[in-house]
Amino acid sequence: MRPKLSLPARLLMLLLVFCAATGARAERLRDLAEFSGVRSNALVGYGLVVGLDGSGDQTMQAPFTGQSLTNMLSQLGITVPPGTNMQLRNIAAVMVTADLPAFARPGQHLDVVVSSVGNARSLRGGTLLMTPLKGIDGEVYALAQGNLLVGGAGGESGGSSVQINQQAGGRIARGATVERQVPLQLGNEHGLLELQLKQPDFGTAQRLVSTINATFGRTVASAQDAGLILLDAPRDPNGRVNFMARLESMDILPVEAPAKVIINSRSGAVVLNGSVTLHNAAVAHGNLSVVIENQPKVSQPAPFSQGQTAVVPDSKITVEQQGTGLRMVAPSTNLLDVVKALNALGATPQDLMSILEALKAAGALRAELEII
């Protein structure tokens, strides 16, 4: 029997948690953590889509499509003579993927995504034939079949074509039927539930443990590290479900996220969270451009000189540098002031990436840089 906390102790614990999180916004526990073992499983299968309007695979370039059709017909009692050259244009080989959620039972339906693996131009109007979906263990967990919904469209005539969105993939809502249940065990070998934080943090784990224990009035939760919390839950299934439902609906005040700046080097996007601060710094930035112009000229020889007309390249190289002098960046303690200070520099997103990296190296930017 675990010791129970007295009422004053419970109130004191809740007060400490509240005071430590002053200014933060409470979030549901289900948004901060998830129970170990409650997860989805990926399924994949190979199948055929038929009924296409001449936009399927070219079987001479995608021979596996014809082989798949021959194998399927043989299972249906139809024998295709060896060496038959089937010129098919209304069939396409596809990969079918789906996610099998936790607690899925046989007979339930799943959404599936169908993607072409050959050279089919479009899957619009096609029908997926019965396709077994397998898990990582090679067992069949669902069967998929149905008419595809393709969001793209296109047309062509006289050598011209137009296309809207992508046509080599589509979806089938409730297109797969679960045939096998994935065994799921809640709790470890000692019967304790494991709660995993989506973003491990020692402060959030401590607040979560304190709030749970104060709510239940006894020591129910104990933190193992920054990302794992063990829970002493009821042993019977009904009591355990009620216990987990009560936990998920709790309001938790998480610790403020660490200061971070995310830079997307491909698109030029720069994202700052609310914890980013700036110290005093002076910044100067500019653009250096090199322009090379090549204008060929015709060299015409003098009359009776027995020379030949030739094209002579005439290249002109121009180097331009644009920039400003040093600009002062004032200390900023909140996100709005940081944005104003950076906007005052008048830099483009590409220049802003270099400026943020330099500010970080100089110690003026109090944040972690992450390039994605």
Side-chain angles (χ1 to χ4, degrees):
M1 187 70 178
R2 295 183 181 272
K4 292 186 176 181
L5 298 177
S6 62
L7 180 59
R10 294 170 57 186
L11 295 177
L12 177 61
M13 188 175 297
L14 288 175
L15 180 62
L16 290 175
V17 173
F18 176 79
C19 292
T22 302
R25 182 176 60 87
E27 299 183 25
R28 290 292 180 91
L29 186 143
R30 68 175 63 187
D31 298 327
L32 301 175
E34 55 191 4
F35 293 101
S36 178
V38 182
R39 43 157 291 183
S40 60
N41 294 272
L43 303 179
V44 64
Y46 172 83
L48 294 174
V49 170
V50 298
L52 304 177
D53 189 13
S55 61
D57 292 339
Q58 299 179 11
T59 53
M60 295 298 295
Q61 301 176 5
F64 50 85
T65 304
Q67 296 173 5
S68 303
L69 179 61
T70 301
N71 295 336
M72 186 194 67
L73 293 177
S74 65
Q75 296 178 4
L76 297 177
I78 302 175
T79 302
V80 178
T84 301
N85 185 10
M86 296 185 295
Q87 296 293 332
L88 306 174
R89 297 299 302 274
N90 61 345
I91 186 171
V94 295
M95 297 299 295
V96 185
T97 57
D99 284 330
L100 183 65
F103 310 112
R105 298 292 197 277
Q108 293 182 343
H109 296 279
L110 309 175
D111 296 342
V112 298
V113 177
V114 182
S115 305
S116 172
V117 295
N119 53 8
R121 300 194 313 273
S122 174
L123 299 181
R124 192 176 184 87
T127 300
L128 176 69
L129 299 182
M130 186 171 59
T131 303
L133 302 181
K134 299 182 179 180
I136 190 63
D137 55 358
E139 298 291 339
V140 176
Y141 287 90
L143 295 177
Q145 182 171 280
N147 299 324
L148 272 72
L149 176 61
V150 179
E156 58 183 25
S157 177
S160 301
S161 62
V162 62
Q163 178 174 324
I164 301 175
N165 296 333
Q166 218 266 359
Q167 303 182 72
R171 293 178 59 88
I172 306 177
R174 296 172 55 85
T177 304
V178 178
E179 300 292 337
R180 183 193 297 265
Q181 181 180 355
V182 177
L184 180 62
Q185 179 180 359
L186 293 177
N188 57 20
E189 62 275 11
H190 303 293
L192 299 176
L193 281 178
E194 295 182 351
L195 191 63
Q196 299 175 344
L197 271 69
K198 297 180 180 179
Q199 295 183 351
D201 183 89
F202 288 104
T204 302
Q206 185 272 334
R207 292 183 181 181
L208 199 150
V209 169
S210 300
T211 304
I212 293 176
N213 291 336
T215 301
F216 285 91
R218 60 186 181 91
T219 305
V220 173
S222 60
Q224 298 301 296
D225 50 46
L228 179 63
I229 296 174
L230 296 182
L231 301 169
D232 183 15
R235 298 298 190 267
D236 65 290
N238 185 62
R240 176 161 292 193
V241 169
N242 294 334
F243 176 82
M244 296 171 67
R246 185 178 178 184
L247 284 178
E248 287 187 339
S249 61
M250 285 185 179
D251 290 331
I252 306 295
L253 293 168
V255 176
E256 187 176 4
K260 183 174 290 189
V261 177
I262 308 297
I263 296 176
N264 191 322
S265 59
R266 294 179 295 274
S267 64
V270 179
V271 179
L272 295 77
N273 68 0
S275 302
V276 177
T277 59
L278 283 176
H279 287 196
N280 277 325
V283 179
H285 73 94
N287 294 322
L288 179 66
S289 60
V290 179
V291 180
I292 301 177
E293 297 180 355
N294 190 5
Q295 296 179 350
K297 295 183 177 180
V298 177
S299 176
Q300 184 68 32
F304 307 105
S305 62
Q306 298 182 353
Q308 296 181 354
T309 303
V311 177
V312 179
D314 183 13
S315 300
K316 181 180 178 181
I317 302 177
T318 304
V319 179
E320 297 180 357
Q321 185 174 10
Q322 299 176 353
T324 59
L326 285 171
R327 289 179 176 267
M328 191 66 184
V329 178
S332 306
T333 58
N334 59 69
L335 183 60
L336 181 59
D337 292 337
V338 172
V339 172
K340 290 181 179 179
L342 295 176
N343 285 338
L345 298 176
T348 64
Q350 293 295 333
D351 293 332
L352 188 59
M353 295 181 186
S354 301
I355 293 174
L356 289 172
E357 189 174 5
L359 288 173
K360 174 64 177 178
L365 178 65
R366 299 301 186 182
E368 176 187 353
L369 283 178
E370 181 176 344
I371 300 177
I372 60 176

